Amino acid sequence: MTSDEQTLLNHYNINTLYPTAWPIEKNESDASGDEQSTNMTKRLAHSRSKSRYSALIRNGSDRRSLVPGSEKTGDGIENLVQKDEPDPLGGPDSVVRILRQKGLPVEEDQRLRNRFLLSSTTFSPTLYLSHVHSDASTQSLLRGLESLSGSIDQKSASLKVLVESNFERFVRAKTTIDNVYAEMRNQGTDTPVAELPRTRSRITSKGSAHFRNSSAQGPFSSRGVDKPLPSDKKKHALVKESEYGVQGIKAPLIEVAVKAEEIWGPALGGRAREETLKSAMASVEECREIFEVGPALSSCIKRKDYDSLVGEYRKARRFAEEARATANQASGGRGSLTDSQVYRVVITARMWSGVENQIDDFKREIWRRLINVEAPPPPSAGQNTPDEPMALIGVLLELGVEDNPIWFWLLSRYDYLKTKIAASFERSRVEIEILRRRLANSEPPPLRTIIAHLKGPRDSASHNKTHHLDTPAVLELWDLIHSSVCYLLSTAGGLLGEVIEFWDKAQAFIDGKTQRTLPTGLDGQSERHHRLSLDGIKDLQKGFVELIEILRDSVFAFFAEPPIEDVSMLYSPLPSTTPTTPKSAVFAPFAHQDSRFRFDASNPPPPSPKRGEGWEDYAFWPPHANALSGTHYLDKVLSLVGTAAMELGDLRPVSSSSRVQEGLKTLINGTRERCVSALAAAWIRDAEMFHLMETFARSSDRRELTKLPAYFLAFEKAVLSGLDRLVYVPGVTSKAGSSILITPPTSTTLKLIRRDFTKTIYVLLSDMIKDAEKRSPRNNTLILQPMDTASLSLNDSLDDTKGKSQSTRLLLTMSNIKYFQTDLIPQLITHFETSFSLKIPEETRTIKDALSQIEAKLFKSYTGPSAEKLASTIYSGITSPNWVPTTDRPTELRPYVYEALLQLVYIHTEVSTTAPSLLHAIISHLFERIVGSFLDAIRARTDRYSLPALMQATLDVEFVAGTMSQYTTAAAGALQEEVYRELDQRTDKSARARLQKELPDMRAILKKLREGTRGEFSCFRRARAKT
């Protein structure tokens, strides 16, 4: 803008040099009354000499708003309402700022803001107090009232001074206005203005006028109106009879309208114009189809009606060819064109130009959509889903294009899948690591939770319920891992399915099957695009193999590599997409930002702590997960891997490439070995925790056993079955051709399973011995669960689960070990050999030897204290000085015999009520020790045995032997013979001879003694068979 233009804008106070309407704000006046009366004469005197744009000029004497902070309304008129003002109650200096802090849109909504400003006529005290002073106390409101009262008093005083100082001006302005109005109203009458009543009173009634002596020199003085005005001027007076001054110009306006009608009427309604319009309408009607082609094309494009679009395009092309032929005929000198033909050629050319522009834009849009289009979902049963890519390719072929849309779509589809596989895998890998880190840095589950999950396989109702397998956090991570692998390798809705579908499409194009349904275009110009070159076919095969290798390497890296360190992908900005990268390449299953993966970029989850745990080296194993959840989910994952490999192996580019097949074989075998290794580590860890569930509560099925063997048997079978599925992948190996890709497990893998199988049994047996041999029972209430209490039988009490005496624990442990030897271990070995088709004689022999050693150790731990106590009782009794009878023929047993037998009765009761299967072995062993104690005690006496002493020893030994006859063994019988030989050696020949004579009487005494103690020692008698 030049300086002159800017000067004009400033001079006339306008915004543009070419205004279209009179500025509304110029109709308003800011001048005061006294300035109007003073300048009225000058304006009337010099109105003819001024420019007609003088009203736009800003006068130097114009008054503007004197109120600071006042604003203009939407139409440009200023008002006295300020944009902001201080709190009238003496608060903050900005009311708008307080309202803005409270969230009110006072800056955008002027009406709302005025309701809070005291200077506005729409001020609302109630709304003001409820928002600005919503939390004010009563004291603060009272102080605000005092401040407001003082402010009002101050402003009232200022207004009084202002009115008094300007009162003369107000009266003078009122007088001038009244004089002018009276002159205009009385124009054309005989009443002079000077005769109007005047008054100098300052205080009058409401209807009275205020006059002062006006200057005699002014145009409105009495001298100027002494003479009456002409009568014809009455029509300009501001009265109703003269139509308020308009009557004078009304007749000329009517005459002008009549003249205009006489002059322009014929021109506007002439016949020539009518004929022209008829001719134009006829031409338009004749070429209606040409005019309708453009809008019809636009409508087809909007409705995506490709069939109608092609038809309209063919019609437009036909019109263009006809017009071209007509023009060529005229240019060849074979005749001239009529006006209608020329008109048709011209409008056809314009139509064809517009059609070509629309078609070019439409082709560009189709190319763009062809790049970004996704593969159609598989059709449901009984439904035919339209294939959008084929529809777009068909449209391009029908319209005719230079580039091959088939090849273009295949390449864009290849780029799309390549980008999507990489983005999907990386994002899923990072999200898995985020949850893995959070789980690793959290507190491990309590022991009661661990034991409850390890007991899961024993409950038959929980086989199909995954929530019993592990903690919710672990299962959440397992589900994420499974869903991620499923999204990568599933043939139904996964990336593998998209890759296979891409190859099926490409193979159909290579074989020429799809081209049969595609159009050849106008005059067959698109037929050349129906054939793919040999180089293009080879590139397609290489691209498909590359996609398979990317997918295979991604999955194998997840299982074979350790956990990743960099998780910045979740908060790093995404790279800008190129024109060839479809928007759908974003990771589909995680397109929404899950709250689980939101974290501060400056404070990402810390890495997993290194504590030497087995799961620290596996990115696919959740921290603190047990082997049960591992077998459940890894079975699913490995089945997905095997099924994916089988699906790929059946495709032609893979089956013909040994390198690709070896890669798939490595994927299956490598993933299988890593899964087995991770599961084996968790297996050992669970076995180490298994002894914690031993509460020595009786099994409801077999009272001599605790619940631990049944839990362990179910756990081991579940893990072995899971390992069997991992090693042989039964869901995949049953298919034809699976032997090519899925090989039998390696010897290293089987050796690992054999070793860990044996180790889990050793670990449990060792812990069982430690728990049983503890002198003070550990507090097992920590692992007592409500489910455990509910599973107790009626014969159990809660005290049974809180701890047992050492002897009871030893007996129950020995009974468990006996069950391990006879039943549990043979079951597990048979299950192992059946599952893996592998004999393990060395491990079987080693386990049996270990069980025998453990049994002997526990047997010794239990019987040792009792045997020593019995031996001490017998030894002290026989070696006592009072043992020798004082009579020649003893008829009673010594007290030590009863004491020893009562000890055996207690042991018999404890064993028979705790582990009846061990009763005979324990009592027989203790009887052997008793007989041996007799032999040691007899040998310990230094003096020779007299006949009474010999008879007493014979009575004691024979009574014990007769009472314990049910538990006599060969060793006990041999020791008893040795006792009698020792007695013979310690007596003389005469005593032995006399003893033979006393034997009948001694038998009678023994019989009497047995009859007398039948009730005390009846537990040692053989139970009679029930008839």
Side-chain angles (χ1 to χ4, degrees):
M1 181 179 294
T2 62
S3 59
D4 295 338
E5 294 175 347
Q6 186 63 40
T7 303
L8 289 173
L9 294 176
N10 295 335
H11 180 74
Y12 291 107
N13 191 24
I14 57 178
N15 297 325
T16 177
L17 293 176
Y18 305 99
T20 59
W22 181 265
I24 301 177
E25 63 269 21
K26 298 304 177 181
N27 295 326
E28 303 294 334
S29 175
D30 293 335
S32 61
D34 59 329
E35 290 176 337
Q36 290 179 355
S37 61
T38 304
N39 298 326
M40 182 66 69
T41 306
K42 296 182 180 180
R43 291 179 181 176
L44 293 176
H46 302 286
S47 60
R48 293 183 178 179
S49 62
K50 291 184 178 180
S51 170
R52 59 177 177 173
Y53 301 107
S54 60
L56 298 174
I57 302 175
R58 177 180 299 175
N59 199 339
S61 62
D62 288 349
R63 288 189 177 182
R64 298 303 177 191
S65 176
L66 300 178
V67 181
S70 63
E71 61 178 355
K72 289 186 177 182
T73 59
D75 52 5
I77 302 175
E78 294 182 347
N79 55 36
L80 297 179
V81 181
Q82 304 181 44
K83 293 183 179 179
D84 195 1
E85 61 184 18
D87 186 3
L89 296 184
D93 57 352
S94 176
V95 175
V96 174
R97 186 177 70 251
I98 298 175
L99 297 174
R100 191 189 312 116
Q101 292 175 356
K102 292 182 178 297
L104 294 177
V106 292
E107 293 182 349
E108 295 82 10
D109 192 350
Q110 181 179 351
R111 294 178 180 270
L112 179 62
R113 183 177 67 218
N114 290 344
R115 300 194 67 185
F116 294 93
L117 299 180
L118 187 61
S119 59
S120 172
T121 58
T122 61
F123 173 75
S124 174
T126 304
L127 192 63
Y128 173 83
L129 290 176
S130 63
H131 285 79
V132 179
H133 292 278
S134 59
D135 54 351
S137 62
T138 305
Q139 295 298 329
S140 63
L141 291 177
L142 291 175
R143 289 193 298 271
L145 179 60
E146 295 176 358
S147 175
L148 180 60
S149 300
S151 175
I152 292 174
D153 294 339
Q154 182 180 0
K155 289 184 180 181
S156 298
S158 300
L159 289 175
K160 290 179 181 179
V161 173
L162 180 63
V163 171
E164 290 177 358
S165 61
N166 292 278
F167 184 78
E168 295 293 332
R169 291 186 179 183
F170 297 155
V171 173
R172 191 183 304 117
K174 175 63 175 174
T175 302
T176 303
I177 295 171
D178 290 345
N179 289 338
V180 172
Y181 176 70
E183 180 180 358
M184 296 180 68
R185 183 186 61 189
N186 299 325
Q187 188 175 3
T189 63
D190 296 334
T191 304
V193 179
E195 295 180 2
L196 295 175
R198 299 181 183 181
T199 182
R200 298 177 62 92
S201 176
R202 292 189 178 184
I203 304 175
T204 62
S205 62
K206 183 177 180 181
S208 63
H210 295 247
F211 289 97
R212 291 196 63 179
N213 292 330
S214 59
S215 176
Q217 305 298 327
F220 303 107
S221 63
S222 60
R223 296 190 326 183
V225 294
D226 286 342
K227 296 180 179 182
L229 293 174
S231 60
D232 58 345
K233 293 183 178 181
K234 188 176 181 180
K235 60 184 178 181
H236 298 296
L238 296 179
V239 293
K240 185 176 181 181
E241 292 77 11
S242 62
E243 296 183 0
Y244 299 100
V246 183
Q247 188 177 7
I249 63 172
K250 186 174 182 180
L253 288 177
I254 295 174
E255 293 177 359
V256 169
V258 172
K259 291 292 184 182
E261 180 66 25
E262 292 175 356
I263 295 172
W264 295 101
L268 295 176
R271 291 186 177 181
R273 179 178 178 84
E274 181 180 359
E275 294 297 333
T276 303
L277 291 176
K278 288 182 178 181
S279 176
M281 289 296 295
S283 300
V284 171
E285 187 66 28
E286 183 181 356
C287 301
R288 177 184 293 274
E289 292 184 351
I290 299 176
F291 284 112
E292 291 177 350
V293 169
L297 276 175
S298 179
S299 176
C300 292
I301 292 173
K302 291 180 181 179
R303 292 184 288 106
K304 297 183 180 180
D305 188 357
Y306 301 144
D307 296 335
S308 300
L309 173 69
V310 173
E312 294 295 334
Y313 180 69
R314 288 178 179 272
K315 185 190 298 183
R317 190 179 183 90
R318 176 170 55 82
F319 290 146
E321 290 176 353
E322 292 176 356
R324 189 179 295 110
T326 303
N328 292 335
Q329 182 180 0
S331 62
R334 288 176 288 179
S336 59
L337 299 180
T338 62
D339 292 341
S340 61
Q341 288 178 330
V342 172
Y343 179 73
R344 187 178 182 88
V345 170
V346 171
I347 64 173
T348 302
R350 295 187 61 182
M351 177 275 297
W352 180 247
S353 176
V355 168
E356 283 188 329
N357 292 334
Q358 289 191 60
I359 292 299
D360 290 341
D361 294 340
F362 177 70
K363 287 180 180 179
R364 283 191 293 270
E365 177 65 18
I366 293 298
W367 283 115
R368 186 190 64 79
R369 289 175 56 190
L370 191 60
I371 293 174
N372 297 329
V373 69
E374 292 195 30
S380 304
Q383 296 182 356
N384 294 324
T385 305
D387 195 345
E388 186 177 3
M390 295 301 102
L392 297 178
I393 292 173
V395 171
L396 290 175
L397 292 176
E398 190 71 48
L399 297 177
V401 288
E402 293 295 329
D403 297 327
N404 189 345
I406 297 175
W407 179 250
F408 187 82
W409 178 74
L410 290 175
L411 288 182
S412 63
R413 188 67 182 164
Y414 161 77
D415 292 335
Y416 161 74
L417 291 174
K418 184 177 180 181
T419 304
K420 190 174 183 180
I421 290 172
S424 302
F425 170 70
E426 290 300 329
R427 185 174 182 87
S428 61
R429 195 178 191 183
V430 170
E431 291 183 347
I432 290 172
E433 180 60 22
I434 291 297
L435 288 188
R436 184 182 173 277
R437 289 186 180 187
R438 288 179 178 171
L439 190 58
N441 287 284
S442 62
E443 292 295 329
L447 291 178
R448 63 175 60 199
T449 303
I450 296 175
I451 299 306
H453 292 308
L454 292 180
K455 291 179 179 180
R458 182 71 175 88
D459 186 6
S460 59
S462 65
H463 285 327
N464 298 325
K465 297 180 181 179
T466 57
H467 65 273
H468 286 299
L469 296 177
D470 220 317
T471 61
V474 171
L475 296 179
E476 179 186 15
L477 183 51
W478 274 126
D479 288 331
L480 178 61
I481 293 172
H482 177 257
S483 62
S484 299
V485 177
C486 185
Y487 179 72
L488 290 174
L489 300 180
S490 175
T491 56
L495 291 181
L496 178 62
E498 294 188 29
V499 172
I500 295 176
E501 183 183 7
F502 163 72
W503 176 247
D504 292 339
K505 295 283 187 182
Q507 187 64 49
F509 280 117
I510 293 173
D511 298 337
K513 297 178 181 179
T514 306
Q515 290 88 327
R516 299 172 186 172
T517 61
L518 294 177
T520 58
L522 297 173
D523 301 330
Q525 61 179 353
S526 298
E527 190 174 359
R528 55 191 176 93
H529 295 321
H530 285 205
R531 295 181 298 274
L532 298 178
S533 63
L534 295 178
D535 293 338
I537 294 174
K538 292 181 180 179
D539 292 339
L540 280 176
Q541 292 176 345
K542 291 180 181 178
F544 174 67
V545 171
E546 183 180 358
L547 291 177
I548 293 176
E549 291 178 344
I550 293 174
L551 195 60
R552 180 203 65 199
D553 294 342
S554 299
V555 176
F556 186 72
F558 174 68
F559 286 98
E561 296 177 1
I564 59 175
E565 299 293 337
D566 185 15
V567 295
S568 60
M569 177 183 178
L570 284 185
Y571 54 85
S572 298
L574 294 177
S576 58
T577 56
T578 60
T580 58
T581 302
K583 295 180 181 178
S584 55
V586 180
F587 191 39
F590 304 101
H592 62 281
Q593 183 66 19
D594 197 331
S595 60
R596 297 176 298 176
F597 311 115
R598 294 177 183 170
F599 54 86
D600 186 5
S602 60
N603 187 23
S608 302
K610 300 295 183 181
R611 302 190 184 99
E613 298 286 350
W615 44 261
E616 293 176 359
D617 297 330
Y618 303 97
F620 61 90
W621 190 271
H624 313 302
N626 58 38
L628 297 175
S629 62
T631 55
H632 177 77
Y633 282 95
L634 289 181
D635 176 26
K636 294 183 177 180
V637 171
L638 199 56
S639 296
L640 283 173
V641 175
T643 303
M646 291 297 301
E647 293 289 342
L648 293 175
D650 294 337
L651 300 178
R652 187 185 304 173
V654 178
S655 59
S656 60
S657 175
S658 59
R659 179 180 61 85
V660 180
Q661 285 190 344
E662 286 297 326
L664 295 176
K665 189 183 299 184
T666 303
L667 170 65
I668 297 176
N669 296 332
T671 304
R672 177 175 60 185
E673 291 180 1
R674 289 282 291 177
C675 291
V676 170
S677 300
L679 183 58
W683 192 14
I684 298 298
R685 181 175 175 273
D686 292 343
E688 293 173 353
M689 303 291 293
F690 221 89
H691 73 98
L692 296 175
M693 72 174 64
E694 178 59 277
T695 60
F696 295 99
R698 305 293 186 88
S699 173
S700 58
D701 299 331
R702 301 181 62 173
R703 299 291 299 166
E704 70 274 11
L705 302 177
T706 64
K707 297 179 180 180
L708 178 64
Y711 288 135
F712 183 72
L713 177 63
F715 171 76
E716 288 287 290
K717 285 186 175 181
V719 176
L720 288 175
S721 299
L723 283 170
D724 176 33
R725 294 191 297 271
L726 286 181
V727 169
Y728 295 104
V729 199
V732 181
T733 53
S734 59
K735 299 181 181 179
S738 60
S739 59
I740 301 176
L741 297 177
I742 303 178
T743 59
T746 61
S747 58
T748 305
T749 302
L750 293 177
K751 185 177 180 180
L752 173 65
I753 297 175
R754 292 171 61 179
R755 183 199 67 189
D756 290 343
F757 170 67
T758 308
K759 188 175 181 179
T760 55
I761 297 176
Y762 283 163
V763 167
L764 178 62
L765 294 177
S766 301
D767 292 335
M768 289 172 63
I769 295 175
K770 294 177 182 178
D771 291 341
E773 290 183 343
K774 286 180 181 178
R775 293 189 177 275
S776 58
R778 56 182 170 83
N779 185 11
N780 284 336
T781 57
L782 178 65
I783 61 175
L784 182 62
Q785 294 286 332
M787 56 182 289
D788 299 332
T789 305
S791 62
L792 295 175
S793 65
L794 296 177
N795 295 327
D796 287 333
S797 65
L798 289 177
D799 294 336
D800 292 336
T801 62
K802 294 182 180 179
K804 298 282 186 177
S805 63
Q806 184 182 11
S807 59
T808 303
R809 287 185 281 116
L810 284 171
L811 285 173
L812 290 174
T813 305
M814 283 192 294
S815 181
N816 289 340
I817 295 298
K818 192 70 174 178
Y819 176 71
F820 270 68
Q821 284 180 317
T822 59
D823 195 353
L824 191 146
I825 296 300
Q827 283 190 52
L828 289 180
I829 292 176
T830 302
H831 187 80
F832 183 93
E833 294 177 347
T834 304
S835 300
F836 300 99
S837 301
L838 180 67
K839 297 294 183 181
I840 49 173
E842 296 181 2
E843 287 79 359
T844 303
R845 184 168 51 255
T846 304
I847 293 173
K848 289 182 178 180
D849 293 342
L851 285 172
S852 300
Q853 295 174 7
I854 292 172
E855 183 186 22
K857 184 177 181 180
L858 291 176
F859 190 85
K860 183 178 180 181
S861 298
Y862 178 77
T863 59
S866 300
E868 292 177 0
K869 187 176 181 180
L870 289 171
S872 175
T873 300
I874 293 173
Y875 186 85
S876 61
I878 293 178
T879 58
S880 174
N882 300 326
W883 177 74
V884 178
T886 56
T887 60
D888 295 338
R889 179 179 292 178
T891 59
E892 297 291 337
L893 299 174
R894 290 304 181 189
Y896 77 90
V897 175
Y898 293 107
E899 183 179 355
L901 288 176
L902 286 177
Q903 293 179 19
L904 279 179
V905 169
Y906 174 78
I907 296 172
H908 185 281
T909 304
E910 184 180 45
V911 175
S912 61
T913 56
T914 304
S917 60
L918 303 176
L919 179 63
H920 191 275
I922 292 175
I923 300 300
S924 298
H925 174 75
L926 292 177
F927 177 64
E928 292 178 4
R929 295 295 301 273
I930 288 174
V931 177
S933 298
F934 273 116
L935 179 61
D936 295 337
I938 290 173
R939 288 175 178 176
R941 293 185 64 88
T942 57
D943 53 346
R944 296 181 65 83
Y945 289 91
S946 61
L947 179 61
L950 183 61
M951 294 176 64
Q952 186 66 50
T954 303
L955 284 175
D956 293 346
V957 173
E958 283 294 330
F959 182 81
V960 172
T963 303
M964 304 296 297
S965 59
Q966 183 181 350
Y967 301 98
T968 301
T969 61
L975 288 174
Q976 189 176 356
E977 293 293 334
E978 187 67 25
V979 169
Y980 291 144
R981 283 195 294 270
E982 184 67 24
L983 289 175
D984 289 344
Q985 293 176 3
R986 301 289 295 276
T987 57
D988 52 14
K989 189 175 183 180
S990 61
R992 289 195 297 273
R994 284 183 292 173
L995 179 62
Q996 293 296 326
K997 295 180 181 179
E998 295 291 338
L999 285 179
D1001 295 335
M1002 291 180 64
R1003 290 188 183 95
I1005 295 173
L1006 286 174
K1007 183 177 180 181
K1008 181 180 179 180
L1009 291 173
R1010 290 193 186 100
E1011 292 292 334
T1013 58
R1014 180 184 298 273
E1016 289 84 346
F1017 306 122
S1018 61
C1019 60
F1020 299 122
R1021 297 181 182 275
R1022 188 185 301 275
R1024 294 182 180 181
K1026 295 181 181 181
T1027 57

